């Protein structure tokens, strides 16, 4: 059974930083591309960033230069470093297998950017 457990969210002021983690189990993590998606209050799911099994990364334009996705295959863990946070980054953040935003995901971790 695929399990994805996100953590690391919180309340942060604009310009602050957070590091999100996603602990994966139930599949061969190192063999799969992974993505982070988010859902802001009252809005639909948005793909944020992805990393392939070889470590290549892609980002949505709105987070380029501010967010960094990475993975530790030895720990079966996906990360998202969030820097220079903006109020519009406020959302529930989820990790998913692959690139499809509607793929099964965990419970998410809430990121709130507010002064």
């Amino acid at each position: 059974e695929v399990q994805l457990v996100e953590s690391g969210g919180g309340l942060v002021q604009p310009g602050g930083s957070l590091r999100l983690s996603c602990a994966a189990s139930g599949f061969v993590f190192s063999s799969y591309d992974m993505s982070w998606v988010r859902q802001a209050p009252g809005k639909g799911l948005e793909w944020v960033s992805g990393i392939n099994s070889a470590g290549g990364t892609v980002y949505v334009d709105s987070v380029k230069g501010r967010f960094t996705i990475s993975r530790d295959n030895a720990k079966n863990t996906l990360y998202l470093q969030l820097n220079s946070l903006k109020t519009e980054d406020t959302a529930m953040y989820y990790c998913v297998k692959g690139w499809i935003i509607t793929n099964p995901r965990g419970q998410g971790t809430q990121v709130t950017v507010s002064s």
Side-chain angles (χ1 to χ4, degrees):
E1 178 188 1
V2 172
Q3 285 198 325
L4 299 166
V5 180
E6 301 93 341
S7 62
L11 172 63
V12 63
Q13 293 185 340
S17 298
L18 287 171
R19 188 194 196 200
L20 308 184
S21 299
C22 169
S25 61
F27 63 103
V28 182
F29 177 76
S30 60
S31 297
Y32 284 85
D33 303 345
M34 298 290 296
S35 293
W36 285 97
V37 302
R38 66 185 178 185
Q39 187 166 27
K43 297 188 176 181
L45 285 169
E46 176 189 31
W47 177 87
V48 175
S49 179
I51 184 168
N52 63 24
S53 57
T57 60
V58 189
Y59 301 89
V60 68
D61 284 349
S62 61
V63 309
K64 281 182 182 176
R66 300 189 298 120
F67 292 8
T68 303
I69 190 172
S70 62
R71 64 192 301 161
D72 185 335
N73 290 334
K75 295 183 178 180
N76 290 345
T77 302
L78 179 72
Y79 301 101
L80 188 67
Q81 178 68 41
L82 288 63
N83 296 330
S84 303
L85 281 161
K86 304 177 181 181
T87 55
E88 52 263 43
D89 295 318
T90 294
M92 187 72 79
Y93 284 71
Y94 304 90
C95 62
V96 300
K97 281 177 62 180
W99 304 91
I100 300 174
I101 62 173
T102 54
N103 278 349
R105 55 190 181 272
Q107 83 291 343
T109 187
Q110 177 68 40
V111 172
T112 302
V113 186
S114 175
S115 55

